[in-house]
Amino acid sequence: MPAPSHRRAAVIGNPIGHSKSPVLHAAAYAALGVDIAYDALVADPQDAPDLAARLRDDDSWAGLSCTMPMKSALVPEMDEVSDRVARLGVLNTVIVRHTARGVRLIGENTDVDGIVRSLEVEPGSARNRLAILGAGGTAAAAVAAAAQLGFAAVDFIVRDAGRAASAVDLAVGFGLETRTLDVAAAGGQLSRYDAAVSTLPPRAADALVPALLVSAPRAGTPLLDVAYDPWPSALALAWDAAGGRVVDGLSMLVHQAVEQALLFSGRAEDDRELVTNVMCDAVGLPRPLG
């Protein structure tokens, strides 16, 4: 069955009040000339079955953008998941596909695209070891991004090595050399890293800064801190002061949202440049394209 001309989508999670996804998606759909209203909805893991039922029962839905704590909770509710989601075990996107046989829910993970495009590791630069702060759902996306970018190794910087077991197994499955380090151990060898990604929630890295920045990264080494609110984070400020290059957390948000907007609207990859540029404009980032 065809989808209705007026459709809706939303970002879901908890907390969600700080999310800039509604601003990004509204800019994209206005530029594309498609009628999709985009909202923000509070949701917790126990809401996953009801959410899936709502998507199936209301034919106006185009999709969901999923933030914490919904990235794992919705995976069992999908009719189909991409190879990426099957491997990572987490999604950040639910595509509502309207077919002659009814509605199908498809899980995808565009966080990987967001990390890959945000790191902007220069061609020819070293891609040996990537530092990943945290070991949760976004860390899983960072592992896939590391493999896609051609890194040879990842270090998970965590407080509890036991909680990183799944992330370590995932990295090994991608053929990456893997270590688990505490903050003090990693802080003494920052110059070994060719890039870093903090996947920790907002403010969660603040207390780690004194121990982590006891040494300096190599000049210009990029750090992507995915927590974009508040910005700049304490970690970003310290990394910049130590001579590294900071990638605004909004960059990842934009690039993963671009892929979602194309999926929700059914538009072609030819529209990626337009959507990227208007989303950057919407949140005050420099345009990377065009």
Side-chain angles (χ1 to χ4, degrees), residues 99-121:
T99 74
R101 296 185 178 183
V103 172
R104 288 184 62 79
L105 305 183
I106 303 170
E108 183 55 273
N109 191 311
T110 68
D111 279 341
V112 180
D113 305 293
I115 295 170
V116 167
R117 293 184 185 137
S118 297
L119 276 179
E120 297 177 344
V121 180

Side-chain angles (χ1 to χ4, degrees), residues 24-44:
L24 295 174
H25 281 260
Y29 302 135
L32 291 171
V34 297
D35 188 5
I36 299 179
Y38 191 96
D39 301 309
L41 302 175
V42 174
D44 290 299

Side-chain angles (χ1 to χ4, degrees), residues 87 143 154 156 165-179:
R87 190 165 193 178
V143 168
V154 296
F156 294 101
S166 294
V168 168
D169 288 344
L170 178 66
V172 171
F174 273 102
L176 298 168
E177 178 190 331
T178 307
R179 300 189 305 171

